[in-house]
Each structure stands twice: as structure tokens, then as C-alpha cells.
Amino acid sequence: MITDSLQPFIKNKLEQLQKQNINVSDLELDHFGYQTASKEDYDTKTKDVNTIAIMKSENIVGRRRVGIYKLNNPYIYENYTVLGFELVEPREGQVCSSQLDHLEFVLNCSFDDYIAINTAVNWDTTTMTRPEFAKLTVKFDDGTSIKFHLKNIFEEIPN
């Protein structure tokens, strides 16, 4: 199941943030992302996760399917309550493993203010101004990332 290694994944990502002096203790960790290896893997995982979550949305984002799921039982990690996850299909031609891919936090200030607080971070701002699902991202050498957005994912998706 996609949540089997979630605890060590969250622990590792929080440690990586701490090394960059990014404090997320007062932010909401609303969801995580799971990257699938292929279209077929996405279809299989979609069926598998229906036992632990309800699909709230599936859209084409960045030329691939992204399913947004709300967990039947929120995942608790320390002081964080994770409400859901994204299941992400690879883009055409993308070669990747099926694995946990990212965490997403909800900011309590603007992107610009958060960047100003964390000036030493090498931010990826390429999706910061897009009209839907705008994000501020920190990428790691292992291919994973932490993303920051302004609203809880379940507030951003259409009902």
C-alpha cells in the first residue's frame, strides 16, 4: 500500500527541511504525493487506494492524470494530521519509480513573505503564479520535494 513507508518518508523530509533551516512546525501538512511508474501502475494503484481513501478529483495537470484522494482515516504523524494524497501518473516519456514523491504544506502567509523568511533556500518558483494549484517548491537531490501552497488541497479542488 502507498502509505506503508509514509512514516520514514515524512521523517526524512522534515529532517531535510531542518538542514535548510526551514521551520514548518506551525504549518498544516495536508497531503502527500505518490508518483506511479506508468499509466498501468496508476490504474492499478487507483483500484488499490479505494480501500483507504475516496477520490475527490482527477484532472490532467502537467499533461498527466493526478487523482486527489481524501483518506478515510487521517494519517497522524507527530503533530501533523495528513488528510489526503495525490496519486500522480508519469508524463509521456517520463521514466520514474513508483514511490512517495512529495509532501505539501499550507502556508500561513504569502509566497513572497515565506521566501523572505527563508532567503537561503534555493526555491523553485516556476509554478508559483499559475492560476490553479500554485506552489512554491524545494527540490532534493533524491528527486523528491516539499511543496508549499496557500490553501488546503480540498479547498482548492472543485466540489
Side-chain angles (χ1 to χ4, degrees):
M1 187 56 63
I2 69 169
T3 55
D4 289 348
S5 57
L6 187 55
Q7 191 273 340
F9 182 78
I10 294 173
K11 182 178 189 284
N12 176 264
K13 297 303 117 193
L14 292 176
E15 287 170 354
Q16 287 181 299
L17 286 178
Q18 191 173 28
K19 287 178 184 174
Q20 294 195 36
N21 294 316
I22 300 173
N23 181 0
V24 294
S25 62
D26 62 340
L27 301 181
E28 174 188 3
L29 171 55
D30 72 329
H31 72 280
F32 64 92
Y34 190 93
Q35 174 70 57
T36 60
S38 65
K39 291 177 185 292
E40 297 77 21
D41 185 32
Y42 180 91
D43 292 334
T44 300
K45 293 282 189 299
T46 297
K47 292 174 185 143
D48 291 347
V49 300
N50 283 332
T51 62
I52 64 164
I54 297 169
M55 181 186 276
K56 292 295 190 178
S57 172
E58 183 179 62
N59 292 299
I60 303 298
V61 180
R63 300 181 317 274
R64 78 261 171 113
R65 291 180 290 176
V66 176
I68 299 175
Y69 292 82
K70 189 159 192 175
L71 291 162
N72 295 335
N73 298 304
Y75 186 88
I76 307 298
Y77 179 85
E78 295 181 357
N79 62 322
Y80 297 107
T81 301
V82 183
L83 301 175
F85 60 92
E86 292 176 301
L87 190 64
V88 182
E89 178 182 58
R91 289 181 179 91
E92 190 69 38
Q94 181 182 8
V95 177
C96 54
S97 299
S98 187
Q99 64 185 13
L100 290 165
D101 178 70
H102 67 270
L103 299 177
E104 294 203 29
F105 289 88
V106 181
L107 292 177
N108 51 16
C109 62
S110 71
F111 291 134
D112 290 334
D113 287 348
Y114 204 68
I115 291 170
I117 294 167
N118 298 284
T119 56
V121 176
N122 184 20
W123 293 108
D124 176 349
T125 61
T126 55
T127 58
M128 192 173 84
T129 58
R130 72 179 175 197
E132 292 183 322
F133 305 110
K135 296 177 187 341
L136 181 61
T137 306
V138 176
K139 294 182 178 181
F140 301 110
D141 292 340
D142 63 2
T144 62
S145 62
I146 303 286
K147 300 175 184 184
F148 299 86
H149 48 119
L150 301 175
K151 290 182 185 175
N152 180 296
I153 190 75
F154 299 109
E155 294 173 20
E156 275 201 73
I157 60 174
N159 288 329

